[in-house]
Amino acid sequence: MEWLRRLLSFGKGERIAVFTILGVILLLVVFCIIRPFRPMPNESAIHDLDSLLMMREAALKELQTKENERATQVNELHPFPFNPNTMTEEEGLRMGLSDRQVRNVINYRESGGHFYSKKDMGKLYTISDSDFEQLEPFIVLPIASRETRMSREQAMSKETKNGTESEKTVKREIPIVDLNVVDSATLVELPQIGSYTAGRIVSYREKLGGFISLEQLREVKGIDSARYEAIFPYLRLENAEIHLLDINRSDFKTLVNHPYLSYNQVKAIVNHREKKGMVKNWAQLQTVVGEKEPINPLIERYLKY
């Protein structure tokens, strides 16, 4: 039995280890007993979560709807009573129509078209359904009898066939203008030129310092090929006096206002003047502005040193 007693007896270190293990086990048992009970989500909780998700989606949809309404309001037209048969370019732009829409109306009239009913306006390809809905209540068309329409159509047909004196008279009444001295009031007498475009032409001429070529008119916003061809026969450049731009004495604002000089080019010119002195000639100017952004060769005609 001596061997059994020796087998079951523990040394001091072994007893400490045994008691430590028992203590740890006891702590684990106590922790498992007293830890808070965490219930599993029930059907009601899941339903509440679904409701919250649905409310979030509804709020997002409402926000998107408000943003769309706000965008629509920004793009709304601001019409006033008008007759599409006599509407000017300026009136169309004031109502919020685009340049393309205004030109479509005017080109339709100039090609012999006539608006006999409000629906005729909605048939133009540039006028969308939403635009027409806003414009329709403001379209004012004088009531014309059937006989009046027929007589107008017959007169137009007769003019087209015979080639006519009235057409020649209209052409003779269009003034021949000098592009460098003509005012905006005279420009509107040219074909396809409204007061808005006439103002642009005069403003661009002032920024340039005067036109040196009729082709420069194509640089004016709104002067496309068709409009340029229509007014070309009535344009002249008899006054060739150009207002020159002093490249060395003009301030930054004056230089950058010229259509042929960009912001970076003017910045390079001013920096050169401050650090190295005056620009002496055209060749030096080309070097100053660099090769990354080639300078418009026409600017040479507008500079003095």
Side-chain angles (χ1 to χ4, degrees), residues 247 252 255-273 285-295:
I247 196 70
F252 189 98
L255 290 173
V256 82
N257 193 49
H258 198 282
Y260 292 161
L261 289 174
S262 70
Y263 176 88
N264 290 331
Q265 289 172 340
V266 173
K267 186 176 179 181
I269 293 169
V270 173
N271 286 340
H272 179 87
R273 289 186 336 200
L285 178 62
Q286 290 178 295
T287 303
V288 169
V289 298
E291 298 179 355
K292 292 184 178 179
E293 189 177 354
I295 193 167

Side-chain angles (χ1 to χ4, degrees), residues 21-51:
I21 293 171
L22 290 174
V24 171
I25 293 172
L26 181 62
L27 288 174
L28 289 174
V29 171
V30 172
F31 175 75
C32 290
I33 293 173
I34 67 173
R35 71 172 181 172
F37 177 70
R38 183 179 297 172
M40 293 295 289
N42 55 27
E43 186 176 345
S44 176
I46 294 174
H47 177 73
D48 291 342
L49 180 60
D50 289 340
S51 299

Side-chain angles (χ1 to χ4, degrees), residues 270-286:
V270 173
N271 286 340
H272 179 87
R273 289 186 336 200
E274 292 175 352
K275 296 178 181 179
K276 299 183 181 180
M278 295 191 300
V279 179
K280 297 179 182 179
N281 51 49
W282 171 247
Q284 186 181 15
L285 178 62
Q286 290 178 295

Side-chain angles (χ1 to χ4, degrees), residues 82-87 101 104-110 112-124 127 139-142 144 149 152:
F82 72 101
N83 182 352
N85 291 308
T86 58
M87 182 190 76
Q101 290 173 319
N104 188 203
V105 174
I106 294 175
N107 287 340
Y108 174 76
R109 293 196 321 239
E110 290 177 349
H114 190 85
F115 297 95
Y116 292 107
S117 68
K118 292 184 178 183
K119 291 183 179 179
D120 290 341
M121 183 84 174
K123 294 176 182 178
L124 296 179
I127 305 296
I139 298 175
V140 179
L141 292 172
R149 287 190 216 163
R152 186 188 297 117

